[in-house]
Amino acid sequence: DQQVKQNSPSLSVQEGRISILNCDYTNSMFDYFLWYKKYPAEGPTFLISISSIKDKNEDGRFTVFLNKSAKHLSLHIVPSQPGDSAVYFCAARYYYNQGGKLIFGQGTELSVKP
Amino acid sequence: DAGVTQSPTHLIKTRGQHVTLRCSPISGHKSVSWYQQVLGQGPQFIFQYYEKEERGRGNFPDRFSARQFPNYSSELNVNALLLGDSALYLCASSLVGRQASEKLFFGSGTQLSVL
């Protein structure tokens, strides 16, 4: 039972263009959504998060959009840079659970070509 | 400040053996969680510990156990290893509290290979 899904295993974009990574979820009890970036041989690194009571959060080149009615969130990277090439994981946290438990999607491998 | 540190970085075991993985959280973080990441999938929650008590457990068999020490470091133990236990084991630490705890900080992981 996959509660958080990233249906695109890979995405390739040109440097300077926009990268859009998508994520769908099924559980309406999630209270926070997060994006993590992972390079090979390293642990996931926190990128940006959004509370379930908001619909947009922006941090520099990264913006996350949340559509609660569609149970869908997306991460926009503008402009994309070669250093952004990594695996991106969408994750969600349960309302009642503090601190530890995140439910991750399968990941999307982003490749930004010069 | 040091991040989350895990040891060892790589480990090779044979079926039926036992393994212990270690984790030191970021200074000031009292919660430690363990995740298993199989190639091609996202990390999957195994345990969360806070103040030396288990606060959450994922869908893993009893062969998996963990504990947290007074200095908030943690160990993950896996008994009777199976081939399917081969994975990257990630430790994450966090502050505790509604606003602070949505973000986990991960270590680089221990790559376990079971032959």
Side-chain angles (χ1 to χ4, degrees):
Chain A
D1 180 24
Q2 193 77 27
Q3 297 188 65
V4 178
K5 291 183 180 180
Q6 294 175 256
N7 292 316
S8 298
S10 63
L11 175 67
S12 182
V13 300
Q14 208 66 32
E15 181 179 5
R17 307 294 289 269
I18 184 172
S19 296
I20 300 177
L21 295 94
N22 294 302
C23 179
D24 297 299
Y25 63 95
T26 58
N27 192 332
S28 58
M29 294 298 291
F30 292 138
D31 70 330
Y32 265 99
F33 300 91
L34 304 89
W35 286 93
Y36 279 82
K37 180 169 71 172
K38 187 179 185 302
Y39 294 116
E42 294 183 11
T45 302
F46 171 78
L47 198 56
I48 191 169
S49 65
I50 186 168
S51 165
S52 61
I53 63 173
K54 299 194 174 180
D55 56 18
K56 178 182 175 181
N57 188 27
E58 193 171 354
D59 184 3
R61 298 186 296 114
F62 303 92
T63 303
V64 57
F65 296 92
L66 176 61
N67 183 333
K68 288 184 68 176
S69 61
K71 292 189 172 65
H72 177 84
L73 64 155
S74 60
L75 174 68
H76 292 212
I77 306 174
V78 183
S80 301
Q81 300 173 354
D84 296 329
S85 297
V87 178
Y88 288 77
F89 290 101
C90 167
R93 189 189 78 164
Y94 281 110
Y95 170 78
Y96 56 86
N97 198 341
Q98 292 186 349
K101 185 175 181 177
L102 296 182
I103 309 296
F104 284 84
Q106 306 96 308
T108 297
E109 184 171 10
L110 173 66
S111 176
V112 180
K113 301 188 181 304
Chain B
D1 281 345
V4 177
T5 57
Q6 292 187 244
S7 63
T9 55
H10 295 83
L11 205 50
I12 299 175
K13 292 285 189 178
T14 56
R15 280 180 298 173
Q17 284 188 313
H18 162 91
V19 68
T20 298
L21 311 180
R22 295 177 175 82
C23 172
S24 293
I26 291 172
S27 177
H29 286 191
K30 298 182 179 181
S31 176
V32 170
S33 302
W34 289 93
Y35 287 77
Q36 181 196 64
Q37 186 181 10
V38 175
L39 194 63
Q41 297 183 21
Q44 189 173 358
F45 175 75
I46 309 175
F47 286 111
Q48 185 211 354
Y49 274 77
Y50 173 64
E51 292 290 6
K52 296 173 288 181
E53 289 187 7
E54 180 183 307
R55 299 300 178 109
R57 182 184 184 113
N59 188 23
F60 281 81
D62 291 343
R63 299 185 295 108
F64 288 76
S65 64
R67 55 179 176 167
Q68 186 177 33
F69 299 99
N71 65 354
Y72 303 111
S73 66
S74 178
E75 283 183 354
L76 175 70
N77 295 283
V78 186
N79 291 323
L81 285 168
L82 303 174
L83 296 179
D85 295 331
S86 296
L88 179 67
Y89 288 85
L90 294 162
C91 174
S93 74
S94 64
L95 296 167
V96 177
R98 278 293 304 276
Q99 293 303 315
S101 62
E102 95 251 18
K103 189 189 306 182
L104 297 184
F105 295 83
F106 284 88
S108 296
T110 294
Q111 184 66 54
L112 173 64
S113 298
V114 182
L115 306 179

